[in-house]
């Protein structure tokens, strides 16, 4: 039987259900994820197909919302709704994959550092200090610009490998707490191996912390991805992400503010939803609450 | 205190050194800068001259040694694009970024703490709930989106602010900085409001506050004079941390508002693959982050006697 410091599943779930904001966040996240997942079914048009004669006026201004194009057209005459749905796929996929990667790296390093202590800990934490001292956004931009074939793979690797530091620090602190708990000390006295103690006792106890942190990190990754694409060093055209939609709308910002509002609202709603969910999970899973 | 300070400064320098070294070895593998400088049609002889001029014909360890020697004197090398020293480029632009930083920090702290204090004083009421909910949503708003919205609404539609740029006179600079500073500060204002509220709520339950109440002091006096003073500790220390973060944030805001600061320089250097400027900005940024952390630690030690004498 594995012991944990977190409340039992039932209690956490009841607490979560009572938190209206958290439930709202969870529902929004699910809806957005489903929209992105089923983009190919839901999108009325090919997101990369310009319908110039039908969607751009003589002066080259994209048309507004109408039956065939519910959110109007983008500056190149493509269907805005289709790009929004497909863009959501890219933004969410990059953010989720990057978060998964950083969770694996950050948790491993945090657990190893906190569990073994000593020189291992010192060395790993110095690496964290150095990484944290790099201006994150600038380094992401530079790497994305420099690699020969940029794309969403590069984006996800860069984001994942550069942003595990905060998580690692917190996991390390929690691991150090867990290591000194009685049942862990007892397991060690009984001759359990390090790997067994880590897998059976430490990991289950840091898991809730990792889940909570990762939920808000997804929101952060969505922002970073859109900032990079917005600055022109993220996804490569014609791929759309919410950030690249904002970038493409830039020259027409004044005449067609809809092009700012559509991806802007999508990003904001998603980020708020993930943050609400994260806050709700923290309140539900936090043993101290 | 002195030995603490000394150790802390050494650690910060060691980290900046590590960042510089990593940057050097990463950029070393970045293909041929000569092509960037001369363009694709240069003659072999010109190429050779440029290689020699930048010291690129030397073995790696010699290049690294020279790089570190120059760096210790504050020399960050020459920009490929501007043909001027990187340190000069940064020094020219830094005061502009600093102006933005100071203005946004002032706004963050004043408005954030005021809102937090109001929410704490009215704990549990509508006011409290509204401020906290507003702060939560505001914290989720990405700066580049709010910046764009501000630009569109306040500058284009209402014409209250210039649509970007830097201005000519000092007063003009401040006027041009208002909108970008507001955009930068929004997120942190919300964060400070939450921090100040949570600190104050805890402090307002302390015994010395109860004593003050028993003495018959009015609630505003208690909140401002007794509680706020003690709540400033975590606020001041997180100021140092946000100081470092401002450099990274500057890239986005300065691009949106066409503000010619260090952030804009960094952005342009990435677009133009001006490697010495990129590296210079990375090192300068890490220096800023370390300085911010250092100030934060020192402020903490200074403000909390338990740490100073511990």
């Amino acid at each position: 039987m594995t012991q944990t410091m977190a409340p039992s599943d039932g209690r956490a779930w009841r607490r979560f259900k009572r938190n209206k904001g958290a439930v709202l966040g969870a529902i929004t996240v699910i809806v957005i994820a489903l929209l992105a997942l089923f983009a190919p079914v839901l999108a009325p048009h090919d997101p990369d197909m310009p319908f110039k004669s039908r969607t751009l006026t003589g002066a080259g201004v994209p048309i507004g919302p109408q039956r065939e194009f519910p959110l109007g057209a983008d500056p190149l005459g493509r269907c805005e709704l289709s790009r929004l749905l497909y863009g959501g796929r890219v933004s969410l996929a990059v953010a989720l994959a990057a978060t998964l990667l950083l969770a694996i790296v950050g948790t491993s390093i945090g657990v190893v550092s906190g569990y073994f202590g000593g020189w291992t800990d010192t060395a790993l934490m110095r690496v964290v200090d150095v990484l944290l001292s790099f201006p994150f956004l600038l380094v992401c931009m530079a790497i994305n610009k420099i690699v020969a074939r940029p794309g969403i793979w590069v984006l996800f690797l860069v984001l994942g490998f550069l942003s595990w530091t905060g998580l690692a620090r917190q996991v390390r602190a929690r691991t150090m707490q867990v290591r000194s708990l009685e049942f862990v000390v007892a397991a060690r006295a009984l001759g359990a191996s390090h790997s067994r103690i880590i897998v059976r006792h430490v990991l289950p106890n840091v898991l809730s912390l990792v889940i909570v942190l990762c939920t808000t990190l997804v929101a952060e990754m969505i922002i970073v991805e859109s900032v990079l694409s917005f600055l022109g060093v993220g996804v490569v055209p014609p791929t759309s992400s919410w950030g690249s939609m904002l970038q493409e709308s830039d020259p027409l910002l004044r005449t067609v503010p809809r092009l700012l509002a559509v991806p802007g609202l999508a990003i904001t709603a998603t980020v708020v939803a993930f943050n609400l969910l994260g806050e709700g999970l923290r309140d539900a899973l936090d043993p101290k609450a | 205190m002195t030995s603490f300070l000394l150790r802390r400064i050494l650690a910060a320098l060691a980290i900046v050194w590590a960042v510089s070294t990593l940057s050097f070895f990463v950029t070393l593998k970045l293909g041929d800068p000569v092509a960037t400088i001369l363009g694709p049609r240069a003659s072999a002889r010109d190429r050779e001259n440029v290689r020699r001029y930048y010291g690129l014909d030397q073995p790696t360890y010699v290049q690294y040694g020279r790089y570190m020697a120059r760096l210790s004197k504050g020399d960050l090398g020459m920009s490929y694009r501007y043909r001027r020293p990187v340190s000069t480029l940064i020094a020219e632009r830094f005061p502009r970024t600093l102006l933005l930083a100071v203005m946004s920090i002032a706004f963050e702290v004043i408005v954030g703490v005021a809102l937090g204090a109001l929410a704490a004083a009215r704990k549990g009421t509508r006011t409290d709930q509204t401020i906290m909910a507003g702060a939560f949503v505001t914290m989720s708003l990405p700066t580049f989106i709010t910046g764009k919205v501000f630009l569109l609404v306040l500058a284009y539609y209402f014409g209250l602010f210039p649509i970007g740029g830097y201005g000519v006179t000092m007063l003009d600079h401040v006027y041009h900085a208002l909108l970008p500073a507001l955009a930068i500060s929004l997120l942190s204002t919300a964060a400070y409001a939450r921090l100040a509220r949570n600190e104050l709520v805890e402090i307002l339950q302390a015994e010395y506050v109860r004593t003050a109440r028993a003495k018959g002091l009015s609630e505003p006096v208690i909140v401002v004079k007794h509680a706020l003073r003690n709540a400033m500790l975590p606020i001041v220390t997180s100021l140092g941390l946000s100081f470092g973060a401002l450099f990274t944030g500057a890239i986005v805001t300065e691009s949106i508002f066409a503000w010619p600061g260090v952030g804009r320089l960094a952005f342009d250097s990435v677009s133009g693959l001006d490697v010495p400027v990129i590296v210079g900005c990375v090192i300068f940024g890490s220096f800023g982050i370390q300085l911010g952390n250092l100030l934060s630690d020192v402020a903490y030690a200074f403000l909390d006697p338990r740490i100073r004498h511990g």
Side-chain angles (χ1 to χ4, degrees):
Chain A
M1 172 66 204
T2 309
Q3 277 177 287
T4 63
M5 301 191 296
S8 69
D9 295 347
R11 249 180 73 206
W13 173 236
R14 275 197 300 279
R15 259 197 242 171
F16 185 82
K17 269 195 309 191
R18 251 185 284 131
N19 186 338
K20 280 188 207 130
V23 173
L24 180 69
I27 292 172
T28 315
V29 165
I30 292 170
V31 169
I32 291 170
L34 286 176
L35 287 176
L37 197 64
F38 291 106
V41 185
L42 298 168
H45 301 281
D46 175 350
D48 300 333
M49 168 78 104
F51 298 90
K52 283 185 181 143
S53 54
R54 279 151 65 201
T55 50
L56 296 179
T57 64
V61 177
I63 54 160
Q66 47 174 262
R67 199 122 163 247
E68 204 189 338
F69 299 94
L71 289 177
D74 85 338
L76 293 178
R78 298 170 295 196
C79 172
E80 182 83 349
L81 176 63
S82 306
R83 287 189 75 71
L84 185 74
L85 290 166
Y86 274 93
R89 255 166 111 83
V90 173
S91 295
L92 281 180
V94 169
L96 287 173
T99 307
L100 188 66
L101 179 63
L102 80 86
I104 293 169
V105 177
T107 308
S108 319
I109 290 185
V111 165
V112 167
S113 201
Y115 183 82
F116 291 104
W119 272 106
T120 325
D121 182 34
T122 312
L124 287 173
M125 285 305 112
R126 288 302 84 80
V127 173
V128 169
D129 286 343
V130 171
L131 267 182
L132 275 174
S133 188
F134 274 100
F136 174 68
L137 195 62
L138 179 55
V139 173
C140 289
M141 287 168 67
I143 295 177
N144 276 330
K145 180 75 187 180
I146 281 160
V147 281
R149 284 167 16 133
I152 59 173
W153 280 100
V154 177
L155 210 52
F156 128 74
L157 287 175
V158 168
L159 293 185
F161 275 118
L162 285 179
S163 41
W164 51 268
T165 44
L167 181 97
R169 273 193 176 168
Q170 300 215 31
V171 168
R172 167 179 175 268
R174 180 64 63 91
T175 306
M176 286 162 77
Q177 280 173 16
V178 175
R179 191 184 55 174
S180 55
L181 291 179
E182 267 172 35
F183 64 86
V184 177
V185 178
R188 214 165 353 167
L190 286 171
S193 69
H194 288 315
S195 55
R196 188 181 159 82
I197 294 177
I198 286 178
V199 172
R200 299 277 302 189
H201 300 298
V202 177
L203 280 180
N205 277 303
V206 298
L207 199 64
S208 62
L209 175 71
V210 172
I211 291 171
V212 169
L213 291 175
C214 281
T215 314
T216 36
L217 277 165
V218 173
E220 210 170 296
M221 290 298 117
I222 288 175
I223 294 180
V224 179
E225 186 280 320
S226 33
V227 167
L228 290 173
S229 298
F230 171 71
L231 293 175
V233 283
V235 298
V236 186
T239 308
S240 73
S241 83
W242 290 338
S244 69
M245 290 174 73
L246 279 170
Q247 191 216 8
E248 287 156 3
S249 76
D250 223 37
L252 290 177
L253 177 66
R254 206 168 164 177
T255 36
V256 198
R258 167 177 52 89
L259 296 174
L260 167 67
V262 169
L265 281 175
I267 296 171
T268 308
T270 313
V271 170
V272 172
F274 271 105
N275 282 342
L276 277 174
L277 179 61
E279 188 119 316
L281 285 174
R282 194 182 63 207
D283 290 345
L285 293 170
D286 192 351
K288 274 162 277 167
Chain B
M1 185 75 191
T2 322
S3 80
F4 161 78
L5 203 60
L6 208 64
R7 254 185 302 133
R8 203 50 203 72
I9 291 174
L10 281 177
L13 284 177
I15 288 173
V16 175
W17 167 77
V19 167
S20 317
T21 304
L22 270 171
S23 308
F24 173 81
F25 284 103
V26 169
T27 49
L28 202 64
K29 303 284 166 221
L30 279 188
D32 192 9
V34 179
T36 319
I37 301 166
L38 289 176
R41 279 194 297 255
S43 70
R45 186 151 166 201
D46 285 346
R47 288 169 173 284
E48 200 42 51
N49 284 337
V50 168
R51 285 185 74 78
R52 206 167 306 140
Y53 178 74
Y54 284 100
L56 299 168
D57 53 342
Q58 301 288 325
T60 308
Y61 67 90
V62 175
Q63 286 192 42
Y64 176 70
R66 284 184 180 173
Y67 168 82
M68 273 303 165
R70 282 193 282 117
L71 204 59
S72 62
K73 285 181 283 183
D75 180 354
L76 293 164
M78 290 287 257
S79 156
Y80 295 156
R81 183 171 157 197
Y82 299 96
R83 309 276 157 92
R84 294 174 59 204
V86 176
S87 47
T88 313
L89 291 172
I90 292 179
E92 270 172 16
R93 285 159 179 76
F94 177 61
R96 303 169 189 165
T97 300
L98 195 65
L99 177 67
L100 270 190
V102 170
M103 283 175 64
S104 48
I105 285 181
F107 186 84
E108 281 160 19
V109 175
I110 295 169
V111 179
V113 172
L115 285 174
L118 183 64
R122 305 263 164 86
K123 190 189 160 208
T125 63
R126 256 272 153 67
T127 319
D128 179 25
Q129 286 161 359
T130 313
I131 292 177
M132 283 306 106
F136 186 83
V137 175
T138 310
M139 272 181 74
S140 307
L141 297 177
T143 309
F144 72 109
I145 295 178
T146 41
K148 282 273 155 204
V149 174
F150 281 0
L151 202 58
L152 190 66
V153 177
L154 298 174
Y156 282 146
Y157 291 161
F158 290 104
L160 294 172
F161 296 96
I163 52 169
Y166 176 61
V168 189
T169 61
M170 189 59 210
L171 206 65
D172 218 15
H173 298 332
V174 173
Y175 176 53
H176 278 80
L178 281 173
L179 207 51
L182 192 67
I184 298 175
S185 59
L186 209 57
L187 219 137
S188 306
T189 305
Y192 280 118
R194 278 164 66 105
L195 183 66
R197 182 210 177 255
N198 294 342
E199 279 298 312
L200 279 172
V201 163
E202 223 162 86
I203 289 169
L204 285 174
Q205 287 163 352
E207 277 193 17
Y208 63 86
V209 173
R210 220 183 312 157
T211 313
R213 283 209 182 101
K215 279 198 304 190
L217 292 181
S218 73
E219 203 58 27
V221 173
I222 293 171
V223 171
V224 175
K225 283 198 114 173
H226 292 251
L228 204 54
R229 187 175 279 187
N230 286 294
M232 284 317 277
L233 179 65
I235 292 165
V236 170
T237 48
S238 59
L239 257 182
L241 302 178
S242 56
F243 185 74
L246 276 170
F247 287 97
T248 302
I251 298 177
V252 179
T253 343
E254 291 183 3
S255 304
I256 292 176
F257 291 94
W259 183 261
V262 180
R264 180 80 208 184
L265 179 72
F267 175 76
D268 288 341
S269 71
V270 171
S271 318
L273 269 184
D274 196 346
V275 176
V277 182
I278 300 179
V279 174
C281 287
V282 167
I283 295 173
F284 185 72
S286 85
F287 191 79
I289 291 169
Q290 283 306 316
L291 188 67
N293 292 354
L294 188 68
L295 288 177
S296 160
D297 282 2
V298 171
Y300 201 85
F302 199 74
L303 287 174
D304 194 335
R306 281 169 303 188
I307 300 165
R308 197 178 352 162
H309 300 299

